Amino acid sequence: MKNSKKQQNPSSRRNFIKSASLASAGFMIVPRHVLGKGFIAPSDKLNIAAVGCGGKADVNIRLAYNNGTDNFVALCDVDDRMSKKYRAQFPNAPYYKDYRQMLEKEAKNIDAVIVSTPDHMHYPVAMTAMQLGKHVYVEKPLTHDIWEARQLTEAAKKYKLVTQMGNQGSSGKGTRITEAIIQDGLIGDVQSVEVWTNRPVWPQGVQSPKDRGEKQPIPSEVDWNLWLGTAPMRDYHEAYMPFRWRGYWDFGTGALGDMGCHFIDVPFRALKLSYPTSVECSVGQVYADFFKEAFYDDVCPPSASIHLKFPNPKGKQFKEISLSWYDGGIRPQLPDGCDYDKVFANIDGGILFIGSKGILATELFGNNPKFFPESKFLNVKLPAPKRPLVEGDTEGHQQQWVKACKAGYGTYTSSSFDQAGPLTETVLMGNLAVRSFLLRDAKNKFIGRKKLLWDGANMKITNFDPANAFVRREYRAGGWI
């Protein structure tokens, strides 16, 4: 690919992927003992490429690099300002603005790819890398759409690759302790779970620059076409980047995408949940004037409550498990016996498991478990984790993936796509409900305000077909994958 605007012939692209995959199959790590004790062979380091070099990528690159135990051999970012730090740190790593150019030209030098882009570009970057046989680490949420998450889950199995989603709490001790508490039955059979967050902490429920007809000059350091990627064309405005893109439907996935893969991950694992069977929601309204509702379709709403139903895998006392999500400052009503200050102690949010024998409250990543009523659990002993602890706890998440890449496919990672994919689908089901809730007809009458029934295996809403438009979006032309 000579430049970002010229399209590659699909046939030649398929041949490129096939050839590069065969070349990469010859990669072999030479044991470090070949050079003697105390030395790390160059071939004993994982050669990593980063797509996205600022924001969350700053953490991912730093922890994957691990003070030089591993290599960064290629860098990619559409914004030279965001990549400046790591271009200086890794001057020998070729730098690109177009991930397709990077993967085409550097495929033979790359073992693995870290994807830290806005949500709408996770899938095309990750899938392109996986088709080349590259292990991938993808920031949360795994994808922008439900269909994309399913595709990445299946691709990881097909290509036999080591994968990890960037929900670092899944590597934390708190998640493992909470899992053990629930699975050992300390609070009995769990019937419902309440999850909440203080997000969004960026603008949502506001009129966007697009809807106001505003635009600004594109900074010289930014390739705006590449930043937009799969999203529909719109004029540049600083309101979209960096990071504030999260509240725009074309690019981000709102508060759920930001925190759902952290918070919902804990009950999803602890209760061994599968696809939900139904979802319903309500959202915060915005009024432009007296009795004049504002329709800001470009952005996520200011707040939402979302209610999901799951089959209970135990199926003893309760046949279903309900999970409710609250964002934008909304919190659940607490059952009797809970201490308000202790349950809501963490500013980021929390999780409440309501069981037949008691209640468990935890903070972000399942940390700091608290039992209620307290008098009933004075002498409770926390069980041992059922999954292996990760060296470095949450900060070991990236290195766990790096080491697994070296060990090969089948090596355990905390959030491999077989776990992260179904979790992401569940998280994004909440956004599907929100977007359906906001659907209007030509007379501005809301048409999607109902409980939606979900066929998880076939990724289909069975009782309101217009909602299925949010399972998979259309990409802007451009050969993104």
Side-chain angles (χ1 to χ4, degrees), residues 97-384:
K97 285 193 172 181
D98 191 327
Y99 69 92
R100 298 165 298 184
Q101 289 184 357
M102 181 193 76
L103 291 172
E104 181 173 351
K105 295 181 179 180
E106 306 297 332
K108 64 182 181 298
N109 302 319
I110 296 170
D111 305 320
V113 178
I114 294 177
V115 183
S116 307
T117 65
D119 301 348
H120 71 297
M121 292 303 292
H122 285 185
Y123 171 78
V125 178
M127 183 58 85
T128 302
M130 294 171 80
Q131 289 174 341
L132 293 172
K134 310 305 176 186
H135 307 298
V136 290
Y137 180 107
V138 182
E139 253 313 313
K140 53 80 190 168
L142 185 62
T143 58
H144 185 280
D145 301 346
I146 293 170
W147 177 86
E148 294 174 328
R150 185 73 59 89
Q151 297 304 303
L152 289 189
T153 302
E154 293 174 354
K157 297 175 185 177
K158 175 181 178 181
Y159 298 116
K160 300 189 184 308
L161 297 168
V162 177
T163 57
Q164 184 91 298
M165 183 171 73
N167 56 334
Q168 67 271 24
S170 65
S171 286
K173 184 177 181 180
T175 297
R176 286 157 172 73
I177 293 294
T178 296
E179 286 173 1
I181 290 171
I182 298 301
Q183 292 172 11
D184 282 4
L186 268 66
I187 63 168
D189 289 338
V190 174
Q191 180 181 18
S192 60
V193 183
E194 310 278 3
V195 187
W196 64 96
T197 181
N198 68 333
R199 270 48 162 201
V201 292
W202 52 85
Q204 284 189 194
V206 297
Q207 193 176 31
S208 73
K210 175 185 174 183
D211 288 343
R212 293 194 301 266
E214 295 178 0
K215 64 179 181 179
Q216 296 175 341
I218 301 172
S220 60
E221 301 92 342
V222 174
D223 188 316
W224 182 237
N225 178 62
L226 289 177
W227 191 92
L228 285 173
T230 59
M233 179 58 68
R234 69 170 70 201
D235 292 321
Y236 170 83
H237 197 283
E238 64 184 2
Y240 306 130
M241 60 184 294
F243 188 72
R244 286 173 291 180
W245 49 263
R246 192 172 290 285
Y248 295 87
W249 289 123
D250 281 350
F251 316 127
T253 47
L256 260 169
D258 185 55
M259 298 302 283
C261 290
H262 290 317
F263 281 111
I264 296 176
D265 178 56
V266 181
F268 198 80
R269 291 173 185 272
L271 294 166
K272 298 182 179 180
L273 299 177
S274 58
Y275 300 127
T277 55
S278 68
V279 60
E280 54 188 313
C281 75
S282 58
V283 304
Q285 292 177 295
V286 178
Y287 282 82
D289 206 340
F290 190 61
F291 276 98
K292 182 181 179 182
E293 187 168 0
F295 301 122
Y296 297 149
D297 297 327
D298 198 33
V299 295
C300 306
S303 59
S305 63
I306 296 159
H307 311 284
L308 297 146
K309 293 283 189 180
F310 299 85
N312 189 342
K314 289 185 177 180
K316 294 179 181 178
Q317 187 169 353
F318 307 115
K319 297 300 182 184
E320 281 189 320
I321 295 174
S322 64
L323 187 151
S324 293
W325 165 271
Y326 309 88
D327 62 43
I330 303 175
R331 293 172 169 179
Q333 181 181 10
L334 296 187
D336 292 339
C338 292
D339 185 301
Y340 188 93
D341 291 334
K342 291 180 180 178
V343 172
F344 295 125
N346 186 269
I347 189 172
D348 290 311
I351 309 165
L352 203 67
F353 295 86
I354 302 171
S356 58
K357 297 179 181 178
I359 298 165
L360 175 69
T362 79
E363 299 175 5
L364 181 64
F365 304 154
N367 291 334
N368 299 322
K370 311 171 199 60
F371 294 88
F372 301 101
E374 292 176 295
S375 60
K376 188 176 178 180
F377 295 93
L378 290 176
N379 299 313
V380 67
K381 182 179 179 181
L382 296 180

